[in-house]
Amino acid sequence: MATDSSNKTIFAAMGANLAIAITKFIAAAITGSSAMISEGIHSVVDTGDQLLLLLGIRMSQKPADDRHPFGYGQELYFWTLIVAILIFAIGGGMSIYEGITHLINPSPLKDPMWNYIVLGMAILFEGFSWTVALKEFLPTKGKQSFWQAIKNSKDPTVFTILVEDSAAILGLIVALLGIFLGHLFNNVYFDGIASIVIGIILAIVAIVLAKESKGLLVGESANPQTISNIRSLSKTEPGVKEVMRVLTMQLAPQEVLLNLEIQFSKNLTGEEIALTVESLEAKLRQHHPEIKQIFIEAKSLAATRQSSQSSE
């Protein structure tokens, strides 16, 4: 399941976005800035997204039952996909619409001072939230690049907040530039263009998140290092002749389903094979506590029975 660090990241982001949304809409009402309205929408969507992630975490922690024998861990992946859709449809779509509307019907420029104050505060708030998310993400990154770490991550809550906050900071910079350039050149169209650019940024972020969430939702394997360790640990067990296939499925951030196809030594008795399986399961759970379900298929059993029947 999602860890306490995931909750910490979400609460930090939600608090920052709620405060930012209020100040952005106040500034937009005072100045009439299209970019500020888009940024306000962006912050409201982000706040709603974090509530959905918390819902996903809660739903994923429901115990397994007869209808869902492997639990509800993938609920989190489903709600992460919903978050991506909302970012694309509401955040990106409304920002682009607001920008186009402003270009068609531009409003007169007003004193930008409130916009600068609010955007400055927003950058500080978003920077704090981004720092919290980054601190939670870096331990999982290791030697991978950021993009590889995001693709290989099995906890969408942390990388979703990190990507959202990165897009938010970039959007704030775009809004700041749009307002500044609009007043510098006395051109009302810079503000609308900034709003459209913010919408495009949100749409790109949504597509990235949707792609990663889809991979987890439809059944993604455990990370390559875990699979390699499983194979190595299995080979160290006496009585294991060959590890034929290692099949894994990520059911939740800290929950993996494992199916092993193993060829045991032919001289092992049924009791010895059972003891070997029990020992191997204990070893795997000790080194990888995230493996909750283990199924081991003994390939040599069928071969042994066939050879014994043919000799008779």
Side-chain angles (χ1 to χ4, degrees):
M1 299 302 156
T3 61
D4 291 337
S5 63
S6 300
N7 288 332
K8 176 184 175 183
T9 303
I10 293 173
F11 279 118
M14 189 165 58
N17 282 315
L18 186 58
I20 293 167
I22 294 171
T23 56
K24 283 177 180 176
F25 280 125
I26 291 173
I30 294 172
T31 64
S33 169
S34 171
M36 285 303 296
I37 293 174
S38 296
E39 276 300 303
I41 293 169
H42 181 182
S43 295
V44 169
V45 172
D46 282 352
T47 304
D49 290 345
Q50 280 118 39
L51 286 171
L52 289 179
L53 288 176
L54 288 174
L55 174 63
I57 290 174
R58 182 175 179 180
M59 296 291 287
S60 70
Q61 293 172 347
K62 290 168 59 178
D65 53 34
D66 292 339
R67 287 178 60 87
H68 297 86
F70 297 115
Y72 290 80
Q74 290 183 317
E75 282 269 7
L76 178 58
Y77 300 151
F78 168 77
W79 288 106
T80 305
L81 180 61
I82 297 300
V83 163
I85 294 171
L86 289 177
I87 293 174
F88 184 87
I90 300 178
M94 290 187 68
S95 294
I96 292 172
Y97 171 79
E98 180 65 30
I100 293 173
T101 301
H102 190 78
L103 291 178
I104 296 173
N105 301 298
S107 56
L109 298 176
K110 297 180 182 179
D111 184 4
M113 185 56 64
W114 276 103
N115 287 333
Y116 294 145
I117 292 172
V118 169
L119 288 173
M121 292 173 59
I123 289 174
L124 291 176
F125 283 129
E126 290 288 3
F128 167 75
S129 175
W130 183 84
T131 302
V132 173
L134 183 64
K135 286 181 179 179
E136 300 299 334
F137 182 75
L138 284 178
T140 67
K141 176 180 174 293
K143 296 181 179 179
Q144 305 173 94
S145 67
F146 274 94
W147 179 243
Q148 288 175 328
I150 289 173
K151 287 183 68 66
N152 292 332
S153 175
K154 307 304 179 183
D155 187 351
T157 54
V158 175
F159 73 69
T160 296
I161 298 298
L162 183 63
V163 172
E164 275 188 350
D165 287 346
S166 299
I169 292 173
L170 186 58
L172 289 168
I173 294 172
V174 170
L176 191 63
L177 283 172
I179 293 168
F180 173 75
L181 292 174
H183 282 83
L184 179 65
F185 296 105
N186 195 30
N187 189 325
V188 294
Y189 295 108
F190 278 108
D191 193 39
I193 292 171
S195 184
I196 294 172
V197 172
I198 291 169
I200 293 171
I201 291 171
L202 291 177
I204 293 172
V205 166
I207 292 170
V208 170
L209 293 179
K211 182 180 178 182
E212 295 307 311
S213 300
K214 176 197 168 192
L216 291 166
L217 189 59
V218 300
E220 193 170 284
S221 66
N223 66 64
Q225 185 60 50
T226 298
I227 295 173
S228 177
N229 288 344
I230 291 170
R231 187 177 292 276
S232 298
L233 286 170
S234 301
K235 288 180 178 179
T236 61
E237 187 66 32
V240 174
K241 182 179 179 181
E242 183 182 355
V243 179
M244 302 181 70
R245 285 205 300 176
V246 180
L247 304 176
T248 62
M249 181 181 291
Q250 197 79 35
L251 299 178
Q254 296 298 325
E255 188 172 335
V256 173
L257 170 69
L258 170 63
N259 181 275
L260 273 175
E261 290 187 8
I262 291 178
Q263 186 175 27
F264 293 97
S265 299
K266 290 185 178 180
N267 60 343
L268 293 181
T269 64
E271 182 180 356
E272 288 172 332
I273 288 176
L275 291 173
T276 301
V277 168
E278 184 178 342
S279 174
L280 178 56
E281 286 185 355
K283 185 183 294 184
L284 290 171
R285 293 184 194 277
Q286 179 184 358
H287 287 82
H288 294 281
E290 72 274 14
I291 300 177
K292 306 300 183 184
Q293 304 283 345
I294 301 176
F295 299 92
I296 297 178
E297 185 175 351
K299 279 296 185 182
S300 66
L301 290 180
T304 301
R305 287 172 183 166
Q306 289 176 2
S307 62
S308 63
Q309 287 173 356
S310 61
S311 62
E312 291 173 359

